[in-house]
Every structure is written in C-alpha cells, then in structure tokens.
Amino acid sequence: MISQFFVLSQRGDHIVFRDYRGEVPKGSAEIFFRKVKFWNEDEAEEAPPVFNIDGVNYIHVKVAGLFFVVTTMVNISPSLLLELLQRIARVTKDYLGVLNEDSLRKNFILVYELLDEVIDFGYPQTTSTEALKSYIFNEPIMVDAGRLPPLGPAAMFMQGTKRMPGTAVTKSVVANEPGGKKREEIFVDIIEKISVTFSSSGYILTSEIDGTIQMKSYLSGNPEIRLALNEDLGIGRSGSSTHDYRSSSGGGSVILDDCNFHESVQLDSFDIDRTLHLIPHDGEFSVMNYRMTQEFKPPFRVTALIEEAGPSRAEVILKIRADFSANVTANTITVQMPVPSYTMRASFELEAGAMGQTTDFKEGTRRLEWNLKKIVGGSEHTLRAKLTFSQESHGNLTKEAGPVNMNFTIPMYNASKLQVRYLQIAKKSKTYNPYRWVRYVTQANSYVARL
Amino acid sequence: MSGHDSKYFSTTKKGEIPELKEELNSQYKDKRKDAVKKVIAAMTVGKDVSSLFTDVVNCMQTENLELKKLVYLYLINYAKSQPDLAILAVNTFVKDSQDPNPLIRALAVRTMGCIRVDKITEYLCDPLQRCLKDDDPYVRKTAAICVAKLYDINAELVEDRGFLEALKDLISDNNPMVVANAVAALAEIQESSARPIFEITSHTLTKLLTALNECTEWGQVFILDSLSRYKATDARDAENIVERVTPRLQHANCAVVLSAVKIILLQMELITSTDVVRNLCKKMAPPLVTLLSAEPEIQYVALRNINLIVQKRPTILAHEIKVFFCKYNDPIYVKMEKLEIMIKLASDRNIDQVLLEFKEYATEVDVDFVRKAVRAIGRCAIKLDRAAERCISVLLELIKIKVNYVVQEAIIVIKDIFRRYPNTYESIIATLCESLDNLDEPEAKASMIWIIGEYAERIDNADELLESFLESFPEEPALVQLQLLTATVKLFLKKPTEGPQQMIQAVLNNATVETDNPDLRDRAYIYWRLLSTDPEAAKDVVLAEKPVISDDSNQLDSSLLDELLANISTLSSVYHKPPEAFISRVKAAPRADDEEFADAGEAGYSESPSQGVDGASPSSSTGTSSNVPVKQPAAPAPIPDLLGDLMGLDNALVPVDEPTALSGPPLPVVLPSTTGQGLQISAQLVRRDGQIFYDISFENGTQSVLDGFMIQFNKNTFGLAAGGPLQVTPLQPGASARTLLPMVFSQNVSPGAPNSLLQVAVKNNQQPVWYFSDKGSLHVFFGEDGKMERTSFLEAWKSLPDDNEFSKEYPNSVINSIDATIENLAASNVFFIAKRKNANMDVLYLSAKIPRGIPFLIELTAAVGVPGAKCAVKTPNKEFVPLFFEAMEPLIK
C-alpha cells in the first residue's frame, strides 16, 4: 500500500510530507523531483504519471501547479492512487477554500490532521468531506483568494461575468462566514469539454463531449435534492459506431454513449423519469459524468487557409464563425496555428473595427497566435497574416503548417443539450428558500482544424 | 485560534529549544498548544526537536483532541529514536483506548500501531483486542488496520494472540467500512506470509459480494482485488460473480472500474457460453472508453491496461478506434500510448481513417511522436497486406516534405516493408536514393545500405552508392559497418565486376585488420573464407531467401500476457512487467528473483519495435520483439527454448570421456525419475580447493543401458559453464554414477538482475534432452582471495555510501562459540577481520568476495547461546545482497 504521500512545489520544495510505513529509503522526494524535471533529458517532455526508480514506485498528479505524489513498494492499483491524489486535492480545497502553496503552508496542521484520517497505514479510508467533518478539529485559516488564480472547473465562472457571487467557489465548506451565519446555497454546474476535429475541407472527422454535472453544496442539514434531466435522455449507442456526420441532425433527443454517477446518487427512478435523487455531501463532487459522440452542432466553425504568395512568402487566412445564438457570448478565445519552421516574420491584418483582439508570432515555437476577448453568437471574425520565409518553401505548405487549434469558454451554453429541468430541494420549512445556481459552461478540449 | 499557522515557522533568536521547552511547560493550555504546534512545524521542516520528547509527552494528557492529535503526531515521528522515553506514553495510550469517546479510543490504537517500538507493542495487544470488538465501527475499522501494522512488526504475536481469527470475524461485520479494512489487512498479511491465511471460500465470497455494494469506493477496490484471487468452481459460479460485479463498471471511480474489469476478464476464461462472453465484451467497452475522459494521468494508466486487453480480446474495442485518436492537448505520454493501441486496432475496415490520422501526426512538432507515427504507418503496412500499398504511398508523401528525421524514420520502416513483401514495391527505391546524402542516423543509414545491397542488381549505380558510404567506413558505428560489409558482399556476388571486387578487398581489409570489433571481424573472416573457398556456396548462403517477417504489434508472448492480464489494474499492467520484476519487498520465503529490476526506471512508453537488419545469417532477427524487457519468471519447470540457446553456443555439447567414481553426502534431486523416464539426476554446485565443481550423480532406473552423457549450461548470472567434458561411464540398468564436473567462468553472462538459478540440459544417446533448473547458493562463489586487511576494510566500509548497507535478522540462528563460528565461516571463505563486544553482544567483522571482484563487508552481531543473529552487509553491488543473505543463513546456523 501507500508508503509516503507528499506535496512538492514547482521548485521541488516540500510542502507536505507524510510517511506511513517507513519502508522507502530517504530522499525519495528529491529522487522523484529530479526524475520528473529531467525526464528523458528533455525539459519539454512530460514524465508519465507512474514510474519506478530503484524499486520504489512513484505515482503523481499535478494539481494547481503542485505535485501530489505517493510512493509504494507493492504492486497495487495505480488508478486507485491517482484517484486518491485527485481526491485529496479536492478535500483539501474543500477545507481551505483555495488550494495553493500558501494555503497549504498556512494550514499545515489541518492538512496533517486530514491526511491521518484519509490514509491509515497506507490504506485510503475516507475522502468524503462530509464524513471527515466529524473527525477533524482544526479550523482552516483563510488565505486571500482575490489575487490568486482560482482553481477547478467552476473557476471559469469567475471570468468576466458578474453573474455569480465572487467568493462562492473559493469559500471553505467548513469555515464559518465572518458574520457567523452561513449562506444557504447550492451550485450545480454542467461543465462540458468538447473535442472536434475538422478536416481540411471543413467536415467533422471526430467530435466528442465529455461532460460532468458538478455540485457544491453549502446547505445546512443535508436536505434531499432532486435533479431532473431531459426526459428523453437516452443512454448507450445502438447499432454500429461508425457515424455518418452528414446525416440529418437527430430528432432532438440527447443520447449519451456512457455515463456514471457519484456513489451518493440514487437511481431508483432514473430509468423512468430521468431524475437523480441525492443527499449532497458537503464539498465539491461530480454527481454525474457523461460522454457523448452523438452528432452535435460545434459552436465554432474554423477555416484556415495557407497559400504561397511569392517565392518565400505565404499568406494565411483564419476565419471563425460563432454558430450559436446572439445572446450568448464566448470569452477568452485563443486561436493558434503552427507555421513552417523557416518562417522569419509575420505581419498581421485584423478586420476593420476589431476590438479586444491581439495577435502575436511566437518565434520560439513558430506559431501564430490570435486572441479575442469575446465573440458574440452569430458573428464572424477573420485574421490575415503575411509570412516571410528564410528560404523557399518545399511546395508543401499545408503539410508544414497547422493544424489550427482553438481554445475558448462559453458560459451559459452547452453543446450536448443536456439540461437540468429542475433542481428541487426538500423543504425544511416554508421560509426555507436557499439560493440555487444552475450554471452551464462549455470549454474547448481539443478543438482542431486541419489544413 | 488566532493568526496563521505559518507563524510557527518563524525562527526565533538563539535558544529556540529552551524557549519551546518553557512554553511546553506553561500553565496555560493555549500556550502549550501553540508550543506543540511550533514543535511540529520545526519537525516538518526537518529540525531535530527530539530533545523535547518528555515535555511534549507531558502535554498528552488532555481532553483537547486537537492538542492530543498533535502530540501523537510528534510521538510517531520520534518514538523510534527515543524508545525508552516512548514508554512514558504507554499509560496514556492504554487509558485513552478505554476512553468513552470513540474518536479517542480509535486514535490511541491507531497511533500505538504506528510506533514501531517493541516495548510499546507488548502493551498494544490488550487495547487492540478490546478495540477489535468495540461497539463503534470507527474504532473497529481502525483496529482492523492496526492488526496489519502489528503483523508487520511482530507476526508471531499476531498469530499467538488470535488476531487473525478476530480479523476473519470482522469480514462478517455489519459495517462495510470495517469489512473493507479487514479485507485489506488480511490481504496484506497474506502477501507477506507463505502460509494460506486468507482464503476466499464460497462462504466469504458471498459476504464480500454483499459488502461490495455498500462500502466506500476505496473499500470496493480492496474487496474487488481480493475477489480476483477467487477461483470459480465452474462456468455457472463464474457467471454469478460476473453478474454481481458488472454494476461496478458504472462507478465514477476509475480504480473501481478497472478492478471490476480485471475480475470480469478473469472469470470470462471460465465462461463457456459464447453469448455470455460476447455480451460481457459489449458491456465492458463503454466504461473502458469512458476512462479516457478522466484526467490524463488516469488515461495513461487506462491506456496501458487497454493495450493488454486488446491483445487478448481485440473484439471488445474493435469498433472504438476513433476514441484513441490523439487530441491536440493530450500529454505526450498519452499520445504515445494511443498510437500503440491504434496500431493494434487497425484493420482493413478502418485503415483509411487510421492512415489519415497517422499522416497528420507525422507533421506535428514533437519529434519523438512524429517518429513513432511514421513507424506506425510501416507497422500497419506489415500487418495488413491489403493496405500495404496505401501505407507506402503515405510514406512517400511524407518523404517528399523532406523533414530529415521523417525521411530517416520512413527509410527504416520501408526496409521492413521490403522484407515483408519482397519484389513488390522496389519501384520506390529511386525516390529513397534521393535522400541518401542526408542520412545521419545509424539505423537509417544501415537500413538504406541494406536496401542497396539487397537490390543491387536493380540499382544501376549501386556500386557508386555503396562506395560513397565506404569512404567513412572506419568512423561509422558498428551497426552501419556490419551492413556495409554484408551489402558489399551481396553486391560483389551479384555483380562480380572489377569495381565491386576492389570494394570488397577494401572492406574485408578494413573489417579484419583495422577494427577492434570482434563481431565485425568474425563476420568478415567468414565472408572471406566463403568467398575464397567456394563462391557458389557463398551465394547460397548470403543470397539465400529470407524468412518472411510478420507483424509484431502483438508483441507480448502469451504466457507473459496472461500473467499481466491477471494483474490488470495494478502497477504490473502499467509497466508491462510481471510483479516480481519490480517489487523488492521481501516475503517470509524470499524468492531468488525478488530483486529490483535494473532498468525499472524506464516505465515510459513501450517503444515501437523494429525489425532487425539481417546480416550474414539469414535466420537471425526475424523481427525483434519490443524492448519491454520480457523477463521469464524463474520457473522450476523445464525451459522449452533452452535448446535454441544451447545450439547457439559455440562449444556445443561436451562429449563424455572417462568416468570417475565418487561418493559423498547425498545430493539434492534435480530431475526426479518420474520426469526423466526412469533417469534420476541429483546435483549441487560445490567448491573444492578454490575451484567450483558441479557435483552430479545419475541413477539409471530404466530397462536399458544409458550412454553418451553430455551436459550444457544456459547463460547465467556468473557466466558459469562446463570446464570440460562430462565423465560418466555407460550406465547399466539399476546402476548409478557420480562425478565432479569442473566449472569455469565464461563471457556468457545472462543479463538482468542476478539470481542463483542454473539452467541445465543433459542428454544421452537413448533419451530425449532433459532440462532442469538448479538453485545454487552464492557461498560457492566466495573466493579464497576474499580476505581483507583491517585498514582496507575500514576504508572500504567508509567509502561506501549508507545506501549500500543492508541488514537482515536470522532469528533462528544460534551461535554457541565465537571461535567455532569464525572457523566455520573461514571454511566457506568468509574471512574474519576483527571483533568487538557491545554490551552482551559480540560483533564480528568479516569479508568475502565473489567473482568480478565484488566484495562484501560484513558485520555480524549476536549474543553467544542466544537465538538470533543480525547480519549487516555493505557492498558496491546492491543487487547481490538478497543472494548474499540467503547464502549466509546456512553458514551461521
């Protein structure tokens, strides 16, 4: 089982170090850090999450720029360890409100107390924030979250939009508000990460949605909750898996390939009315994860063109069209395109009246970069760039440039059409009316257009 | 509490310790608590605050749980170094274990179990006994784990006090958390014990399956992993288990899913109904694919497992190839694994899609990934003959981009494609030759040269092309030199004109006279002789038809694959190595190969295998397999491919000469007569007068005379081989013979972790070849030159880092007389250097040495007449330590 658990900063400093079995030789944290830092003598190459040095197995994840690591001497399930590491990070965040080097250091005693309950003699015991509450006695010390980059998927709600109370997601689930009274509220976030690959002719090669319904509850007394999804939600693809993306867009019903649920979810009536019953824990957790490859309308159409324009010159035209309704706005959009390695210069030409757009040519990585602050649904934007080469091209420009990669966040939009029809909280009294936040957000995972 | 914990890190002026001491003894609770926090803070940053032990322990008697926990944390850390003081805490522990608050009771047993001090352990038993039967499940689940802790410190105590039975009772507990911990503890105890302790019967099975539905995700993994050891009685039993486990596939925790997959795969082996199997495969596919939506770290683990699963049951994911297409933002380690699986799933049906992807990857930025993508195209060409042409056209497209490393990689795979489909695609040679000047990687060069030599008759200017390479012959790496040599010979045999004749002269001269490389020289001499004796024969040999190579994308051999599949969801399935190859934890009955694996640090990607470039011998390297080190588990059964190795050795079987009659103590049987069709062989390695012999005896239980005995040893750790012929007379029915076969050290050393296994083949004229393995003890290798001077011993001891020091207890060894022990050890070439007294213990310093000059510096501690000896050893070659400890055991008995 687990021999040691430790958290290292990006510079390799010990932030937390706990040895459960005393069987791993000294210096494991340093050995680990050296190996990860210089994997294959290539700083750019990331070390795999599981490796063995001199008989010690090191398993790690990176969360919030920190290394969460366990070591073990036996042949156990690495997925268990990886899940556990993620869970420890989440529980710690639940307690501390913010997860970073500063908050861990300020709260080291609480963290050690948590670790003793989470792992005993190397065996994971409980990672539920709710269950842990009865065994933990230290109070968290809050760090100032304002200037810190927020963590986790829910953090994206903070960007730009003023829709949400800013402190909600960086608030500890156990600490009391300064006023002494906790605000009764619950957040349900439908977070979708979409992956689309467009072929050079603009047609969709692969598309996939990885979605999760995330919940964070600050409700006192743990009332039961009913979460109703689309009535016509289907699960499991039927028939062959080779899709024809040109077929008419489906009859409107949402069909998931597969989904799984948090263990606290009761699915008794799920098959009948697609309703999830649960008593939410304290803390943040995924109620449901789902995956969909059914055809959906991608939020952006991306077209990219590279053409020779003289012996050692080329012109690039990037065009993006927002295929969603005008009352939705995407933000923090980045479009990147690798160009031939012998590109020396790039000059850009933005469309007339472009606002909040920046362009850059990254010489180190030979990429064009185009940033847009926001894109309103239905609009279209174009960027032209003139490239100057240091040599004549081989006449294979499309092979040497691209693919175009896009990053974006679209709040209050979800591509899958999966919806929370209602969120019902069992009433304790007539006046009990907690805040309910149901939020949607779509993010690009791997959004690629080939040349 | 006010302020921030980090203030405890602030350093005070001089005298930090006295200041803390004062605060710890303060009359104010809060001040004491703050002080303990400061102490813990100092401890976590590595400062030595052990001198405050008494003061901290004094704070232990408190009702304040927060403070109590802090003190316990401190105790765990320092009890080991202050065992006498730790005893001060015992009373409080025992009292706490009966506290009305269950949290305090649990905390007390949990902490006591973590303090690995014998004196404390004695006091732990009673509280533990009570807590195992506590009313509160939190206390019981903590006590269950505590049994495993105690077993680790003192296994006998656990057995004597009946804790194992108590643990087994907890399997029937009504709290699933308690069940899960009991299962975990029992599984761990079983791991370290050779005796059956935790057997899954049909009775426990039912209980575990019931608990499975209710316990936490972590408990589910413990239970599933224990269930995987259950052997179902028949297909119905197996189906029943699978039915109960299948709902776990829907779990959000990937570890639960993978553990469930493991059980289903294992039980599927027993299920006979093809419908059921097909249905299960269908059910497993979506959850396996869903694993790829998890964090990249988990994806990596999932992909390494899927890699194994698709080798065994390709149908499960045959239709899912799209999910393995690389995403733009996948980390490189995920991309590499996806590529590997795409090759495995590539079929005639999806190859167009797959090629489109590969082509795209081949123009990405990451060089390693690009190379692998190019290789992947070649491997698909070799695997799918109907797609070969399309693959080649993609490769040619890529060559045209003229990115140097892409071109070189393409040439390497095209060479393999030529071998797979001879006389089909040679028309592209001209295109390849265009890139000749830019080749700078040895493997690509060697491949190109092979192509030129192989098709010399079709390439008009083959001689010119080769000649251009010859100029730099002496500077080329061996790989390229060997290919140049062979290619030139091929050219000469195909076009015996003046130009090639001159070339061959130059090459042979270079390769025989000017080189230090024995492989190159030997090969050159063989060619030389062949060419000078019989050019026609040379043609037959050098230009012989080559065996067809095959697709190697299912590289793991089936026995290893099965072993790895039985280990799905464990580290073993991520490394693609059997557990004993990387787990060094010593069991009660240590195994010879329980050692660290030399290159276990490279748990990276399974690199794409490549076909060996063929050389003089056409039978060599018909597709080298992957470089995932395939270590054969040390099996006592005959090794089937030993014969291949035997024939490969140049000193073939040694004929039998003169017999020598011999007697002595009975030897261990290595080949029982039941296996040897009546012939029984007993043997042992022995050392006589500084020489190692194989003391071997034969008993003929057959009905006929056996003669013509020969013996051969497989490669082994020390390169031990027969030093002369085996001398056994023809053996009459019922007769026996014994002989001493002198052994020598050869260069044929087997790679990998050292072990003392000796694989032997014996044949005679009447019977088939017999194979057996014999396990020698390291002490026969202890040389007479192992004695060290006192000063050099001291110097050597100091110069070796502490990491190289290991120790082992021999609880059953009794030393009755120091002098007799010294004499005894000296007889086995373990030499006495010095001794000293430490309390009632005698400490002996000794040295020994094994071949290749590897020394062992030994410190042996024991009390005369009292059972138990401790042996500490320092050596520069750590990997021999387990063998050493094993060898010492009989010597100090």
Side-chain angles (χ1 to χ4, degrees), chain B residues 679-699:
Chain B
L679 175 70
Q680 175 171 303
I681 304 176
S682 318
Q684 193 173 22
L685 277 178
V686 294
R687 190 176 190 96
R688 299 268 160 84
D689 306 324
Q691 157 114 48
I692 298 176
F693 292 92
Y694 202 46
D695 189 352
I696 183 166
S697 98
F698 302 88
E699 263 177 68

Side-chain angles (χ1 to χ4, degrees), chain A residues 21 45 52 117 123 258 445, chain B residues 138 188 254 290 329 601 605:
Chain A
R21 287 182 163 248
E45 193 162 322
N52 177 312
E117 292 300 334
Y123 290 97
D258 188 31
N445 185 9
Chain B
Y138 180 72
E188 171 165 340
C254 299
T290 299
N329 50 348
Y605 333 113

Side-chain angles (χ1 to χ4, degrees), chain B residues 360-426:
Chain B
E360 201 62 38
Y361 304 160
T363 57
E364 278 198 19
V365 193
D366 189 284
V367 177
D368 285 341
F369 182 57
V370 168
R371 284 174 184 278
K372 198 169 169 115
V374 175
R375 261 191 208 218
I377 299 170
R379 282 169 65 186
C380 284
I382 291 165
K383 179 176 163 180
L384 307 166
D385 46 2
R386 277 197 271 165
E389 198 164 339
R390 277 170 280 171
C391 297
I392 290 201
S393 70
V394 172
L395 286 172
L396 287 177
E397 260 180 71
L398 292 173
I399 288 178
K400 284 198 190 108
I401 309 175
K402 291 206 182 336
V403 176
N404 201 15
Y405 54 83
V406 173
V407 173
Q408 307 208 42
E409 206 63 38
I411 287 176
I412 295 169
V413 291
I414 286 175
K415 181 251 319 172
D416 290 341
I417 297 174
F418 282 171
R419 280 215 52 189
R420 172 71 175 79
Y421 308 105
N423 307 316
T424 322
Y425 301 110
E426 285 75 13

Side-chain angles (χ1 to χ4, degrees), chain A residues 146-397:
Chain A
R147 59 191 167 83
L148 300 161
L151 163 88
M156 66 191 69
F157 293 106
M158 312 276 296
Q159 298 167 350
T161 58
K162 289 215 176 69
R163 206 178 284 272
M164 308 305 161
T167 52
V169 282
T170 56
K171 178 168 93 177
S172 162
V173 292
V174 291
N176 290 320
E177 292 288 282
K181 218 178 119 222
K182 266 170 77 171
R183 187 153 120 149
E184 293 284 315
E185 55 187 343
I186 181 164
F187 295 85
V188 177
D189 298 336
I190 294 88
I191 301 163
E192 295 190 344
K193 298 195 170 185
I194 60 179
S195 295
V196 178
T197 309
F198 297 98
S199 75
S200 52
S201 46
Y203 118 99
I204 299 169
L205 289 170
T206 58
S207 62
E208 187 184 39
I209 299 176
D210 286 324
T212 176
I213 301 181
Q214 195 124 326
M215 191 175 273
K216 190 157 187 173
S217 162
Y218 296 93
L219 300 177
S220 58
N222 298 337
E224 190 186 322
I225 281 180
R226 281 156 57 97
L227 198 66
L229 307 178
N230 311 31
E231 270 170 329
D232 54 359
L233 182 71
I235 292 163
R237 272 179 338 207
S238 53
S240 82
S241 60
T242 44
H243 311 280
D244 186 358
Y245 285 95
R246 282 160 299 186
S247 67
S248 63
S249 50
S253 66
V254 178
I255 298 175
L256 306 177
D257 290 38
D258 188 31
C259 59
N260 57 45
F261 303 92
H262 189 267
E263 55 193 14
S264 68
V265 178
Q266 288 191 1
L267 297 166
D268 304 341
S269 61
F270 185 70
D271 283 340
I272 307 155
D273 61 3
R274 296 298 186 214
T275 305
L276 308 173
H277 294 247
L278 69 154
I279 295 171
H281 297 198
D282 283 349
E284 192 176 82
F285 65 101
S286 300
V287 177
M288 172 181 172
N289 299 307
Y290 56 94
R291 183 166 57 79
M292 186 179 111
T293 54
Q294 186 196 23
E295 186 190 353
F296 62 90
K297 193 174 179 189
F300 290 100
R301 281 277 164 183
V302 189
T303 32
L305 204 68
I306 182 161
E307 271 179 345
E308 252 173 284
S312 53
R313 284 171 186 282
E315 191 179 28
V316 174
I317 303 172
L318 289 173
K319 207 176 267 180
I320 40 180
R321 194 178 77 217
D323 274 353
F324 45 85
S325 110
N327 52 23
V328 171
T329 305
N331 50 41
T332 52
I333 301 102
T334 310
V335 184
Q336 284 186 325
M337 175 172 155
V339 291
S341 56
Y342 42 81
T343 308
M344 279 181 2
R345 273 193 311 277
S347 60
F348 297 95
E349 190 185 315
L350 284 168
E351 62 207 346
M355 291 275 281
Q357 298 187 19
T358 58
T359 52
D360 195 5
F361 169 54
K362 305 259 182 212
E363 273 182 66
T365 50
R366 308 279 169 190
R367 272 166 210 263
L368 304 184
E369 211 176 277
W370 179 20
N371 298 300
L372 299 93
K373 271 220 179 91
K374 51 174 85 162
I375 298 182
V376 181
S379 63
E380 193 175 284
H381 301 271
T382 314
L383 171 74
R384 286 164 191 275
K386 290 200 163 58
L387 309 181
T388 313
F389 299 146
S390 60
Q391 63 180 78
E392 269 186 47
S393 79
H394 304 310
N396 259 312
L397 279 177

